[in-house]
Amino acid sequence: RLVREMPRDEAYLEVGTLEGRTLEAAAHGNVGKHILAADHCEKYKRVPLPVSGARFFAAPFTQLTTEIIGAPVGVAFYDADHSVEATRDFVTFIEPLLADRAVLVFDDWDRVTVRTGVRLVAQQAPLQLLREFFEYTDGHAPPNHFGFYFGVSLWTYQRQ
C-alpha cells in the first residue's frame, strides 16, 4: 500500500530483487507510477522475470541516477547485500535521490549488520524509525509473526 499512497510524481525503488515477488507486489494495481528495481544479479545468478508496469536494471544501485529513476524516490525498499558497509552505503547513496518526504523499508532487519548499517547513517540523516517487525528466526525457523523471515523495519525521511 505504500506505493498506492505515494504521489504520482515520485518513484518506488527496490534494491535487491531476486525473483521479483516484492517488485510485483509493488507494481500490482499501481498503473502509471514510477516503479523500478536494481539488482546486479551476481549473488544468485538469476534475473527476475519481467514485471508489468515496472522497470528492472541488472546493475548495482550505485549506477542509478536521477535521470534513470525519472522521479524523486518516495518509497525505497532495500533487500540487497546485508553487510554493514553495503547497507550504510545504500542509505548514504539514496538520500540525495529521495523525495522531500519519503519512506524507507529495510528487509532482513533481524540481522545485526543491517541494523548497524542503517543506524550509522541515521545518526546524521533526517531518518526516523517508525516500526520494527522482528521475526527472531534468523532464517532457520518458520516466521513467528509477520511472514518476513528476517524481519523488516520502516523509516521516514524528511528533508530539512
Side-chain angles (χ1 to χ4, degrees):
R1 291 207 248 167
L2 290 172
V3 177
R4 183 177 0 161
E5 299 299 323
M6 183 181 73
R8 286 205 175 273
D9 61 347
E10 294 179 2
Y12 167 83
L13 173 63
E14 179 172 301
V15 173
T17 304
L18 192 57
E19 296 173 350
R21 286 181 280 184
T22 308
L23 183 62
E24 187 173 15
H28 181 75
N30 290 307
V31 176
K33 298 239 178 165
H34 299 274
I35 299 171
L36 61 144
D39 192 320
H40 56 71
C41 304
E42 292 177 6
K43 183 176 181 180
Y44 297 105
K45 307 292 186 214
R46 58 182 1 164
V47 175
L49 295 172
V51 172
S52 178
R55 294 180 295 146
F56 177 76
F57 296 92
F61 68 83
T62 54
Q63 293 183 10
L64 294 173
T65 63
T66 303
E67 292 76 30
I68 291 172
I69 297 171
V73 176
V75 177
F77 179 82
Y78 184 80
D79 187 16
D81 183 335
H82 304 307
S83 68
V84 170
E85 298 79 15
T87 305
R88 177 204 61 212
D89 292 349
F90 169 74
V91 180
T92 301
F93 175 83
I94 198 65
E95 185 180 358
L97 302 176
L98 292 173
D100 290 342
R101 295 179 64 203
V103 174
L104 289 87
V105 181
F106 293 92
D107 198 18
D108 300 305
W109 193 245
D110 283 3
R111 297 177 191 228
V112 172
T113 54
V114 174
R115 294 193 308 271
T116 302
V118 173
R119 288 185 171 134
L120 283 171
V121 180
Q123 294 171 357
Q124 293 89 27
L127 286 171
Q128 181 179 3
L129 177 64
L130 288 180
R131 187 84 188 262
E132 296 173 296
F133 300 93
F134 287 103
E135 283 296 334
Y136 306 106
T137 64
D138 196 33
H140 302 290
N144 297 317
H145 305 288
F146 304 106
F148 301 101
Y149 283 95
F150 285 106
V152 296
S153 68
L154 185 62
W155 295 73
T156 59
Y157 172 84
Q158 175 74 50
R159 192 172 313 283
Q160 296 175 341

